[in-house]
Amino acid sequence: MLSGIKPSGELTLGSYLGAIKNWAERADQYDCYYFMADLHAITVRQKPADLRRRTLEQLAQYIACGLDPERNTLFIQSHVPQHAELGWVVNCYSMFGELSRMTQFKDKSAKNADNINGGLFTYPALMAADILLYQPDYVPVGEDQKQHVELTRAVARRFNGVYGDVFKIPETFVPKVGARIMSLTNPTAKMSKSEDEDAGRIALMDKPEDIMRIFKRAVTDSENSVRFDRENKPGISNLMTIYSAVTGKSYDEITAEFDGKGYGAFKLAVGESVVEMLRPIREESTRLLTDKGYLESVYRAGAEKAGYMANKTLRKVYKKVGFVPR
Ligand code: TRP
C-alpha cells in the first residue's frame, strides 16, 4: 500500500480523518509506504524555508497520528531519486490529451493563472511513477485523486501492453467513513490544506480555543434538525461525518442524541470531540519536532528502504525501454 501528501500546507482534520487515520490502521495487513510529496509541492510556488519546515512537520505528524516508523516506511519523495527518473519515463507514455483532461490540472491552472508550468501539467505522470515504483496493490486516496489513479492504471496497462508485465495495476482505495471532510465555512468544497485563507479549516496543530471558535461558526442551515442529507444540508451532514468519524457513532445515533437540542449544542459537541482527539496528536508532534535527530533517522531509514524497492522497478523499466545498463 502506498500514498503521499504534498507538504504544501498544514495537515488538516480532513487529512487525518480522510487519510492518515485509515493508513495507520492498515499496518498489520499491508507493507505500507507513505511519503511527503515535496516534488509535487513545487508545482505551485513555495517559500523554501516553509517547504522545508512543513516537510519535517508532516513527518512528525504522520508519526504522531499513529504511523509507527517501525511498521511503515516513511520517506521524503525527493530523497528517492527514482521518482523523478521513472517520472520522466511515464511522461513519455502519458498522452497530452489524457493529461489535459485532468480536473485537478484545470482547477490549479485557474487558480495559478500566472504560473501554469509544465510540472503542473505533468503532475499526474509523476504521481503515476510514485505509485508504480512500489508495485502496490492499493493506493488510498481521496475522491479528488481518483482520476490520477485511473490515469496511472491506464498508463501501466499501456506500458505492460508493449513490454510485458512490468507494472502491477493498482486499485484505488477510498475509505468509507470520513472519505471527504468539507470546509466548515463552505461545506460543498473539500477542507483544503493549501487554501491560505480558508476559515473553515482545522489544522492538526490548531489550539483548542481556535478549534472551538471555528466549529461555533460552522455554516449550517435554518431547519434546526440534525439529520444526514448531503444534498440539502451539506453543513450539518459534514459535521455529522466528522462526529461519526471521531466517536464511531452512526448517523442515526447522532440524530437521536441531538433530537430537540439545537445546532448550538451539536456544534459544541463536535468541536469538543475534535479537540480531545487532536490533543495528543498536537502534543506528540510538538515533542517529536524538538528531536531532529530522531526525525532524521526515520527519514533516512525510510529513503533507504523505499529506494531499494524503487530501484528494482526502475532497473526493469530502463532495461525494457532499451537503455544500456550502467
Ligand atoms: N497528488 C496527491 C495529492 O495532491 C499527492 C500524491 C503525490 C500522491 N503522489 C502520490 C497520493 C501517490 C497517492 C499516491 O494529495
Side-chain angles (χ1 to χ4, degrees):
M1 200 152 206
L2 164 124
S3 196
I5 300 179
K6 293 191 294 288
S8 55
E10 310 296 324
L11 290 181
T12 68
L13 179 63
S15 325
Y16 178 64
L17 292 180
I20 307 170
K21 181 169 181 261
N22 300 295
W23 300 353
E25 288 160 5
R26 297 274 123 59
D28 291 337
Q29 297 142 277
Y30 298 96
D31 189 11
C32 297
Y33 289 76
Y34 302 112
F35 62 99
M36 281 43 82
D38 55 350
L39 298 177
H40 280 94
I42 63 164
T43 53
V44 302
R45 289 281 174 268
Q46 303 290 333
K47 290 203 184 94
D50 287 349
L51 180 58
R52 220 173 340 260
R53 172 181 54 78
R54 279 198 305 256
T55 303
L56 290 176
E57 279 175 4
Q58 194 171 310
L59 174 63
Q61 289 167 10
Y62 276 5
I63 300 170
C65 286
L67 291 178
D68 176 356
E70 301 290 325
R71 304 200 304 148
N72 298 271
T73 304
L74 309 178
F75 66 99
I76 298 173
Q77 188 185 22
S78 64
H79 290 186
V80 182
Q82 289 83 359
H83 287 252
E85 294 175 283
L86 185 66
W88 173 253
V89 178
V90 173
N91 252 305
C92 298
Y93 292 81
S94 308
M95 299 300 135
F96 187 86
E98 291 178 307
L99 294 171
S100 309
R101 282 193 293 276
M102 294 293 119
T103 52
Q104 181 169 307
F105 171 67
K106 294 186 211 165
D107 290 353
K108 293 239 159 139
S109 2
K111 280 189 196 142
N112 301 281
D114 54 345
N115 183 23
I116 307 178
N117 60 71
L120 202 57
F121 185 65
T122 59
Y123 180 114
L126 178 60
M127 176 161 163
D130 297 338
I131 296 170
L132 297 173
L133 277 175
Y134 300 92
Q135 311 278 5
D137 293 290
Y138 296 106
V139 183
V141 288
E143 290 288 343
D144 62 321
Q145 296 297 316
K146 262 171 130 173
Q147 197 186 22
H148 292 159
V149 180
E150 279 310 313
L151 178 82
T152 304
R153 291 162 56 86
V155 172
R157 280 202 210 94
R158 181 174 305 142
F159 195 93
N160 287 353
V162 181
Y163 302 102
D165 278 343
V166 177
F167 297 126
K168 190 183 277 181
I169 309 297
E171 304 278 340
T172 315
F173 185 98
V174 179
K176 285 192 192 63
V177 186
R180 219 162 172 219
I181 305 296
M182 314 304 269
S183 161
L184 295 174
T185 46
N186 178 14
T188 53
K190 179 178 155 176
M191 184 182 284
S192 163
K193 62 182 156 32
S194 326
E195 262 20 20
D196 301 344
E197 299 303 329
D198 182 358
R201 170 186 58 196
I202 306 283
L204 290 187
M205 303 304 273
D206 279 350
K207 293 196 209 65
E209 56 272 28
D210 294 327
I211 296 175
M212 291 310 292
R213 186 172 39 77
I214 297 167
F215 272 104
K216 281 183 197 154
R217 288 193 196 150
V219 167
T220 51
D221 54 65
S222 54
E223 191 197 29
N224 227 20
S225 98
V226 177
R227 61 181 180 84
F228 195 86
D229 178 348
R230 257 237 193 269
E231 196 132 310
N232 301 305
K233 296 165 68 70
I236 286 295
S237 302
N238 187 37
L239 290 170
M240 289 179 79
T241 302
I242 295 170
Y243 195 58
S244 169
V246 176
T247 62
K249 291 177 187 167
S250 70
Y251 293 146
D252 286 343
E253 286 170 326
I254 298 170
T255 297
E257 183 178 349
F258 293 96
D259 182 32
K261 292 214 179 116
Y263 287 170
F266 179 48
K267 288 181 185 180
L268 273 182
V270 183
E272 280 162 8
S273 73
V274 169
V275 164
E276 288 321 313
M277 178 185 69
L278 294 185
R279 189 187 304 282
I281 294 177
R282 189 185 63 241
E283 289 172 358
E284 180 64 358
S285 305
T286 308
R287 191 188 69 74
L288 286 168
L289 279 164
T290 61
D291 194 348
K292 291 278 178 329
Y294 172 69
L295 291 179
E296 194 178 312
S297 71
V298 169
Y299 67 66
R300 282 202 180 173
E304 190 167 329
K305 178 147 180 251
Y308 176 78
M309 282 287 288
N311 207 40
K312 279 215 280 205
T313 305
L314 186 72
R315 291 299 137 214
K316 210 191 254 179
V317 169
Y318 273 13
K319 191 167 165 212
K320 292 284 186 186
V321 299
F323 296 162
V324 174
R326 243 192 327 216

